[in-house]
Structures are given as structure tokens and as C-alpha cells.
Amino acid sequence: MTYITSLKCVHCGREYTPEQVTYYCEVCGYHDGILDVIYDYDTVRRELNPESLARSTKYSMWRYLPLLPINNPGLIPHLQVGWTPLYEAPGLAGELGVARCWVKDEGRNPTASFKDRASAVGVVKALEQKAPRITCASTGNAASSLAGFAAAAGLPATIFVPGRAPAAKVAQLLVYGAQVFSVQGTYDQAWELCMQASAEFGWYNRNCAINPYLIEGKKTVSLELAEQFMTLTPGSFPDWVVVAVGDGCTIGGVWKGLWEMHRLGFIPRLPKVLGVQAEGCKPFVTAWQENTCLVPGEANTLADSIAVGHPRNFCKGMKGVTESGGAFVAVSDNDILRSITTLARKTGVFGEPAGAAGVAGVRQAVAAGMIRPDESVAIIVTGNGLKDIQNAICAAGQPVSVQPDIREVRQAVAASGKC
Amino acid sequence: MTYITSLKCVHCGREYTPEQVTYYCEVCGYHDGILDVIYDYDTVRRELNPESLARSTKYSMWRYLPLLPINNPGLIPHLQVGWTPLYEAPGLAGELGVARCWVKDEGRNPTASFKDRASAVGVVKALEQKAPRITCASTGNAASSLAGFAAAAGLPATIFVPGRAPAAKVAQLLVYGAQVFSVQGTYDQAWELCMQASAEFGWYNRNCAINPYLIEGKKTVSLELAEQFMTLTPGSFPDWVVVAVGDGCTIGGVWKGLWEMHRLGFIPRLPKVLGVQAEGCKPFVTAWQENTCLVPGEANTLADSIAVGHPRNFCKGMKGVTESGGAFVAVSDNDILRSITTLARKTGVFGEPAGAAGVAGVRQAVAAGMIRPDESVAIIVTGNGLKDIQNAICAAGQPVSVQPDIREVRQAVAASGKC
């Protein structure tokens, strides 16, 4: 059983029971009618509180089960997901010009990205519904995490990728045994084909933008942040939580988790949320700055995980920043590349471009006076740098070439001043 | 303080105090005089026992501090290392023809390999000795983990790589800010240059084959196995522990940890150890089968982490298998590639070639009658598949190409029998 009271349409406000609806508001349709999962928080609080968590030995996102839409916990696959490390990074704080800085390394999840939290929930929902197969359209972390969790659960998966998807990313899906359709067309065409196939074959649809339960997995990163800070810095919480933004689902989940942990009394006050986009793909930044609706645009950035010109979850994404009194910033691809090395060298955490973009975003927000030097920030690093070695090579620089002769090393060491 | 009673030469048996010696037996030299760290186990047991571990909230390899050579725990860097997940894998057990099978996913460590356990110890020892810099020669996981942990600790690092090292692997070192010397010569020349530079500049030497403390980090994988099985299957332990073998340090560490946990009463009996090598690089297999000394040979295998023709830690590596009554097997590169997909599809764990080689090794050992069908195995997957995407592409197969038209999907689904 769950503590869900209703699924509420973010567009029209209609409420449904979980039995009445599978994915989206039938009146508003799947472009607008995204549903939000509402819980009975007073009852949740009786099961989920500082005392119950102190007793819990489930070191994974499943320690927050009363806040998750899971009817049958017996179906949860074995892969350990969530409960990722949170590090304080004084060197990075100094570099960025803030009072204190923490980094949450989501690259430590089973398939090396934040998306595992969503796929874990998606796979359990598919099993609960006895779906014969689960599907999504993606070339990136959502696809690889779905393939990994489907394999772990013994659930067949079909993934639609656009024809131009890089061989390396497709390989990971195939290694996990997913059926992969390479669609000779655009990403949008792959997405529509996935929607059609899901409807026709009864495959469970893991596309986060239309499936209300996926974001419930994503929010667990904030549930963890709240609990981890309760231990690290009792009675206080960072002023800002920082995350890169693509289709809006991630930042929407981050905000929902923060809101819930405040509602349940785990954190003393709500932080501001900083959403970071790339200069070449910034529909949220534009809409927020100009106070307009979404205008889909270009997707020109090397940070592929946030290269989303037409965000499918604009509403929930925008809500996170506006309700929190936060901000959106855009950073250049050069800044993103530089942030990969800054993050790795100051903390030992190697992030993929979108994962490190939060670091560039803080730098930008400090320069713009949005974040004050006396404020503290928690940056969510959403994916592992090993996911995108090509961009790491661009960021990294070159080694020093020497002959196998100690005299050459001596000269190079003297020249570098490093000895 | 530590509970070390002596450092004992594996070649001549001479014993030293930790203050008398830095790396190896001065009489036997660094080719033969590898030291073994000996503890006062009776005293260790008073601090490290099932009750103390049940109370511990350190979810990392540092929960075994009384069994580690650390004088100053305040110098331990922040990266969460060890306490990796252990999964039971009934589907894989069925596939391999054994009674039960577990997989320990070492790719979940901070830089995505088992080697992080050793680098973590190396960095602390360097800081304890106030070394100005730490160094090693490697192109693989030892180097990337050293670069990551050195960055986390704020300790400068210099890494010697052979000129032919792949750009992707070198990039990771540079991202972490290590000084990287690309030596225009062989791996052996890079290794010798590293030894010279370490001696000349006083850089701390992380090369596992000559540094007695590194293997102490590696053994923690077995300390965890013992504790995790104590919870999972109280009173019993798998019949076999399986790991791929390169220079012998890893399997040596695995055996030492098992031996210690048996000595301390955590496991009821010692398992047999199965060492897995590649057909094209099998000096341990040959020496074990023919009961001879080490004959260095070729290193022809795609599993780069175990492509070691001249193992530097032959003695400790051989000891693990012979003392345990275990075995060595060699598997073909094709078997290794096939084991990547078998492992990923049956468990959701994506391993690099050497990481998945243990799966191929079990299959081989069952076929040869070394492992009986009623026996149980624990396989250590030493590194993440994202470390070697090129070989994953070889293992993965191809996607199904379709036009953006549901009729093509319909046909393909019908043809595949997957719906």
C-alpha cells in the first residue's frame, strides 16, 4: 500500500486516484496534463521521521519508502540505488567564492547517473502492472539506467534511439540486453514512435515527461540531502541547491523532495534552487528572465544530458525555481569544460559535462550577485565523467612527453616547479 | 597507532619494524623482497568483532581500521571508498551451473574500480610521511584511482605512462590534475623511470608490487565479503571466491583478507580461491599447472587490467591459490567478451573485461570439474564497464534499424518474437 491521496493535474488541477489513470490527465492530454503525486503527509510522518531513519539499515533510496509510490516492495530489484555520498568541499568553496560548498556525487549510482533513481521506480511500477515490457526513448542516461534496471529485474526493455546516437551509448543498452530500435529520424520521431509502441503493445512507458511516478524516484536525492545535512550540520541547511536543467524533470524532483522534507520537519527552511542551463540551450533561462511561456529553441551544447530544446516538463521545472525564490543561469560550453577539471581537482569527483555544469553555474551566479559570498551551496553532480570521455579529453590538457631517461624528467620537473 | 607487529619479507623471512623500512626488504631488494604486514590479531580482535561492526556507522573500508596500517586516521581523504554492494545472482548461478552465486560490484568505488582501496591507503601513507608528492607507473585503474585520491587529499601526483597509452585513460589522469609523463618507451621503462624519480625526489611510491601497504587496502574487499555474508547467510560462506589475476597483488590481497577474517572468527572456514587469467597472458596458470617458478611471457589479451606478462607480485599471488586449495584457469578473449553481456544481463552489473573475466572463469572451472555443481561462488567484479567502452561495443551486438513508422516496429517486434 502507499500513502498517495491523489494524482493531480498540474495544468487543470483535476484529481485522480491511482486506479483511475495510468500516466497523464486524460482531459489535458500528454503535452500539458502531467500529474503530480500527492501524499497524506501527516500519516507519512508517523512512519518517516528522524527516529525511524536513525534505525533504518536500508542504505538506498528505498529507506524513504513511505514517500514513494510503491505498492509491492517485494518487487524492488536488487541493485543498490541512491544513498550517494555527500562531501564538503572547502577548496571548491574558496574557488567559487561562497562560504561553504558541498557536492553530492550521483555518478556513484549503479549505472553511474542520477537517472537510476527514476528507472528504479519505473521498473517496479511496470512489474506491479504486470507489463510485458518497459520502454523509453532516449540516447542518454535515462536509457542506460532503464536497460540496467530492467536487466536486474528480469523485465524485457525496448529503447528507441535516434539514428545519430553515438555507438558507445547504444552499446551500453545492448550490453544490458535491451532491444534497441535505431530510428532513422530525429529524437522527436523516436519519442513519438515509443509513445505509439507503448500504446499498441501495452509496454510500460518510462518517459519521465508523461509518467508521474518517475519524478518520485528523482526527488529522493533531496530526501537524502535533507537527512545527510541533518547529521552533518544539525539545524541548518545550505542556502542554495544547484542542479543542471534539461527537460525540467530533475529540477522538479529536486524541488519536490526539498518541499516534502520541509513539510515533514527535516529541514528548518527551504533553500533556493539554482537551475543551470547551457548558453546554447536555455529555454528555462529565457522564459524565467523574460517572464514568458516556453519557447522551444535550439539545443547546441556539448553537455548532451541537458541538450533539450523542447523541455517536456516545463511546468514542474519552472515551479522549482520560482517557488523557492531561486534563479536560472546559463553557462558557456567552455565554462562547462573548465568546471569538469575544477570539480575533479578540488574534490576528486569526476563529473560528466552536465554533472559539472552546476559548478560553472555557481561561479556565474556569484559573479552576477545572485549568490552572496556569505551563502552556502550544495551542488548535485548528476552523472559520472566516464560517461563522456570525449569531452573529458577536450577538458584535460596534454601529458609531458619524455624519453625514458631520468635527465629528461629532471628537466621537466624543474621547469614545472613541481617537485 | 596501529596493531602492526612487523613487516616480514616474503622471500627471506626477515622482520622489520615499520620505522626501519619504507618499502621492501633491503637484503632481498625490490624484485624479491616484498614485505607482508603482520598484525597482533589478538589485540585487533578486541576492537574488531561482530559487535563492534554492528555498531559502526562508517560505511566504507575504514570500518576495518584496526586491520589497516594507518597511524593517523585524521589524514583519510573524504572520498567514500569500499562497502560496495554484494548481490545474490540466481540467474547467473543457473547460467554457470553452480548452486549459488554472488557478485561484488567493485565498479561502484569512487573512480570506478577496485584499485581505489589501494590508492586510498597509499595516499594516507604519503601524507603521514609528509611526502611532497606521490607517484606510480600505470595506464590503468591504479593510475586513475591514484589521481582521484591524490586530488581529494590535495596531494600532488606524478604518473608515468607508456607512450602508447590510450588518450582516454590519460585524459582521466589529467582531469584530476595529475602531472603525467608520457614515456616514449615500454611500460617497463616507464616503471623504472618512476622508481628512479621516486628515489631522487622523495616522492612516495604507490607501485603496489614494491609497497607493502597497498595490498592492505586491497584486502578490505574480503573483510567486507566476510561481514556481508555473516549478515546474508549466517554461519556459512561461499565455497569459492573468484577474481581475475594480473600482477598478483589483487588476488594476494583477497586471500590475506579472507585469512584474517577466518583468524578473527568472522567466517567458519576458508574458501578456495579461483584465479582467472586470459589465454594470451597466463604466467600464473602455467606456473601453477606445471609446478614451476615464474616464467614471464606474452601479454596478449583485450582485458588490459590483467595484461601483465611479468607479474611483480608472483609470490603473494600464487600463495592465495595454493594455500586455499584453489585453482587457476585461463579463458579466451571471446569468453571474456561474452561474460560482459552475461554478467550485465543476468545481474544489471556492467563490468570491464577483466571485471567480467571471473564469470568466464567460473564457467571454465565448472566445465573442467574444478568447481562442483553443488558449490557456491562469489565473483569479484573489479572494474566498471564504462572504463572500456570499445570492448563493450565489440561485445554488445547491433541495434535494429527502423524508419520512423510504427509499421516497421510492428514487423520487427513480430520477427523478434518480443512483444
Side-chain angles (χ1 to χ4, degrees):
Chain A
M1 63 153 289
T2 71
Y3 298 110
I4 296 173
T5 55
S6 71
L7 303 177
K8 185 173 179 178
C9 176
V10 297
H11 191 64
C12 72
R14 271 185 194 82
E15 296 192 60
Y16 301 86
T17 67
E19 293 73 30
Q20 284 174 318
V21 68
T22 307
Y23 301 120
Y24 46 85
C25 173
E26 285 154 13
V27 179
C28 300
Y30 69 74
H31 281 302
D32 293 320
I34 299 175
L35 300 173
D36 191 22
V37 183
I38 313 288
Y39 298 83
D40 172 0
Y41 291 104
D42 292 326
T43 308
V44 166
R45 192 206 301 260
R46 287 204 288 274
E47 281 205 26
L48 191 71
N49 50 58
E51 295 72 34
S52 72
L53 287 180
R55 284 192 305 270
S56 170
T57 54
K58 268 190 208 147
Y59 292 101
S60 71
M61 61 179 257
W62 306 112
R63 61 196 277 109
Y64 308 106
L65 205 54
L67 270 182
L68 289 170
I70 304 298
N71 293 299
N72 185 351
L75 297 173
I76 292 171
H78 59 265
L79 290 180
Q80 186 276 336
V81 52
W83 201 251
T84 56
L86 175 71
Y87 305 127
E88 178 154 17
L92 188 56
E95 172 86 17
L96 297 177
V98 293
R100 293 179 83 175
C101 176
W102 291 266
V103 166
K104 188 151 172 77
D105 185 5
E106 287 293 301
R108 297 288 294 278
N109 277 301
T111 78
S113 91
F114 174 79
K115 297 291 173 75
D116 285 343
R117 297 177 184 269
S119 291
V121 170
V123 162
V124 177
K125 296 311 288 179
L127 293 172
E128 283 183 353
Q129 300 196 8
K130 299 190 170 52
R133 185 170 280 267
I134 189 166
T135 187
C136 79
S138 164
T139 65
N141 292 331
S144 53
S145 79
L146 177 61
F149 274 83
L155 177 70
T158 295
I159 295 166
F160 293 82
V161 304
R164 65 166 200 290
K169 298 211 166 193
V170 175
Q172 203 183 349
L173 313 180
L174 293 163
V175 163
Y176 283 124
Q179 180 183 48
V180 181
F181 284 117
S182 173
V183 180
Q184 303 312 303
T186 64
Y187 172 76
D188 278 341
Q189 288 177 304
W191 200 85
E192 290 294 344
L193 209 53
C194 175
M195 293 294 289
Q196 289 176 53
S198 167
E200 178 161 336
F201 302 115
W203 297 346
Y204 192 76
N205 192 328
R206 182 245 179 264
N207 287 314
C208 197
I210 64 120
N211 185 316
Y213 299 114
L214 278 288
I215 207 170
E216 299 302 301
K218 291 187 170 188
K219 78 182 181 186
T220 59
V221 72
S222 291
L223 310 185
E224 284 179 23
L225 276 175
E227 188 184 353
Q228 288 172 322
F229 277 109
M230 198 173 60
T231 312
L232 278 176
T233 58
S236 79
F237 198 79
D239 299 297
W240 292 83
V241 172
V242 183
V243 70
V245 180
D247 67 5
C249 291
T250 295
I251 195 169
V254 165
W255 174 243
K256 183 168 187 185
L258 291 169
W259 182 90
E260 288 185 335
M261 288 308 253
H262 181 251
R263 171 79 172 74
L264 293 171
F266 281 86
I267 51 180
R269 62 178 168 73
L270 280 164
K272 291 166 274 191
V273 173
L274 181 71
V276 183
Q277 294 211 286
E279 279 288 358
C281 179
K282 53 175 186 178
F284 279 100
V285 180
T286 305
W288 181 75
Q289 283 175 340
E290 298 173 4
N291 201 17
T292 57
C293 292
L294 169 66
V295 180
E298 295 290 295
N300 294 323
T301 171
L302 57 78
D304 68 308
S305 302
I306 53 171
V308 184
H310 185 167
R312 304 263 175 185
N313 215 334
F314 184 77
C315 177
K316 287 189 183 176
M318 187 56 77
K319 191 176 162 188
V321 164
T322 52
E323 283 193 2
S324 75
F328 279 106
V329 289
V331 294
S332 71
D333 277 6
N334 275 342
D335 285 345
I336 291 175
L337 284 182
R338 193 158 56 109
S339 70
I340 294 174
T341 52
T342 302
L343 176 66
R345 292 171 191 183
K346 294 292 178 187
T347 68
V349 172
F350 178 26
E352 66 168 356
V359 172
V362 170
R363 197 193 293 274
Q364 184 97 331
V366 169
M370 291 167 172
I371 297 181
R372 293 194 318 268
D374 64 338
E375 290 188 304
S376 56
V377 302
I379 301 171
I380 301 172
V381 178
T382 45
N384 196 306
L386 292 170
K387 293 257 184 179
D388 187 351
I389 281 292
Q390 287 314 309
N391 278 311
I393 291 173
C394 297
Q398 292 297 324
V400 181
S401 178
V402 292
Q403 293 300 316
D405 182 336
I406 189 70
R407 289 170 301 184
E408 292 209 8
V409 174
R410 221 173 269 150
Q411 282 171 10
V413 166
S416 71
K418 294 174 180 169
C419 59
Chain B
M1 63 153 291
T2 71
Y3 298 109
I4 297 173
T5 55
S6 71
L7 303 177
K8 185 173 179 178
C9 176
V10 297
H11 191 65
C12 72
R14 271 185 195 79
E15 296 191 62
Y16 301 86
T17 67
E19 293 71 31
Q20 284 174 315
V21 69
T22 308
Y23 301 119
Y24 47 84
C25 172
E26 285 154 14
V27 179
C28 299
Y30 68 75
H31 281 301
D32 293 318
I34 299 174
L35 299 173
D36 191 23
V37 183
I38 313 289
Y39 298 83
D40 172 0
Y41 292 104
D42 292 325
T43 309
V44 166
R45 192 206 300 260
R46 287 204 288 272
E47 282 204 26
L48 191 72
N49 50 58
E51 295 71 34
S52 73
L53 287 180
R55 284 192 305 271
S56 171
T57 53
K58 266 190 208 148
Y59 291 102
S60 71
M61 61 179 253
W62 305 113
R63 62 197 274 109
Y64 308 106
L65 204 53
L67 270 182
L68 289 169
I70 304 297
N71 294 298
N72 185 350
L75 296 173
I76 292 172
H78 58 264
L79 292 180
Q80 187 277 338
V81 53
W83 201 250
T84 56
L86 176 71
Y87 305 127
E88 178 154 17
L92 188 57
E95 172 86 17
L96 297 177
V98 293
R100 294 179 81 175
C101 177
W102 291 267
V103 166
K104 187 151 174 76
D105 185 5
E106 288 293 301
R108 297 290 292 279
N109 277 301
T111 78
S113 91
F114 173 78
K115 297 292 174 77
D116 285 343
R117 297 178 184 268
S119 291
V121 170
V123 161
V124 177
K125 296 310 288 178
L127 293 172
E128 284 183 352
Q129 299 196 6
K130 299 191 169 50
R133 183 169 283 266
I134 189 165
T135 187
C136 79
S138 164
T139 64
N141 292 331
S144 54
S145 79
L146 178 61
F149 274 82
L155 177 70
T158 295
I159 295 165
F160 294 82
V161 304
R164 63 165 202 290
K169 298 212 164 190
V170 175
Q172 204 183 349
L173 313 180
L174 292 164
V175 163
Y176 282 125
Q179 180 184 49
V180 181
F181 284 117
S182 173
V183 180
Q184 303 311 305
T186 64
Y187 173 75
D188 277 342
Q189 287 176 305
W191 200 85
E192 291 294 343
L193 209 53
C194 175
M195 293 294 288
Q196 289 176 52
S198 167
E200 177 160 337
F201 302 116
W203 298 345
Y204 192 76
N205 192 328
R206 183 244 180 264
N207 288 313
C208 197
I210 64 121
N211 185 316
Y213 298 115
L214 278 287
I215 208 170
E216 300 300 301
K218 292 187 169 186
K219 78 182 181 187
T220 59
V221 72
S222 291
L223 310 185
E224 285 178 23
L225 276 175
E227 188 184 352
Q228 289 172 322
F229 277 109
M230 199 174 60
T231 312
L232 279 177
T233 58
S236 77
F237 197 79
D239 298 298
W240 292 83
V241 172
V242 183
V243 70
V245 180
D247 67 4
C249 291
T250 294
I251 195 168
V254 165
W255 175 243
K256 184 168 186 184
L258 292 168
W259 183 90
E260 287 184 335
M261 289 309 253
H262 181 252
R263 173 78 174 76
L264 293 171
F266 281 86
I267 51 180
R269 62 179 168 74
L270 280 164
K272 290 166 276 190
V273 173
L274 181 71
V276 183
Q277 296 212 282
E279 279 289 358
C281 180
K282 52 175 186 177
F284 278 100
V285 179
T286 305
W288 180 75
Q289 284 175 339
E290 300 174 4
N291 201 18
T292 56
C293 292
L294 169 66
V295 181
E298 295 290 295
N300 294 322
T301 172
L302 57 77
D304 69 309
S305 302
I306 53 170
V308 184
H310 186 166
R312 304 263 176 185
N313 216 334
F314 183 76
C315 177
K316 287 189 182 175
M318 186 57 75
K319 191 176 161 185
V321 164
T322 52
E323 284 193 3
S324 75
F328 279 106
V329 290
V331 295
S332 71
D333 278 6
N334 275 342
D335 285 345
I336 291 175
L337 284 182
R338 193 157 58 108
S339 70
I340 294 173
T341 52
T342 302
L343 176 66
R345 293 170 190 183
K346 294 291 177 186
T347 69
V349 173
F350 178 27
E352 66 168 355
V359 172
V362 171
R363 197 191 295 273
Q364 184 96 333
V366 169
M370 292 167 172
I371 296 181
R372 293 194 318 267
D374 64 339
E375 290 189 304
S376 56
V377 302
I379 301 171
I380 301 172
V381 178
T382 46
N384 195 306
L386 293 171
K387 293 254 183 181
D388 187 351
I389 280 293
Q390 286 316 308
N391 277 312
I393 291 173
C394 297
Q398 292 297 323
V400 181
S401 178
V402 292
Q403 293 301 316
D405 182 335
I406 189 70
R407 287 171 301 185
E408 292 210 8
V409 175
R410 223 173 268 149
Q411 281 170 12
V413 166
S416 70
K418 295 175 180 169
C419 60

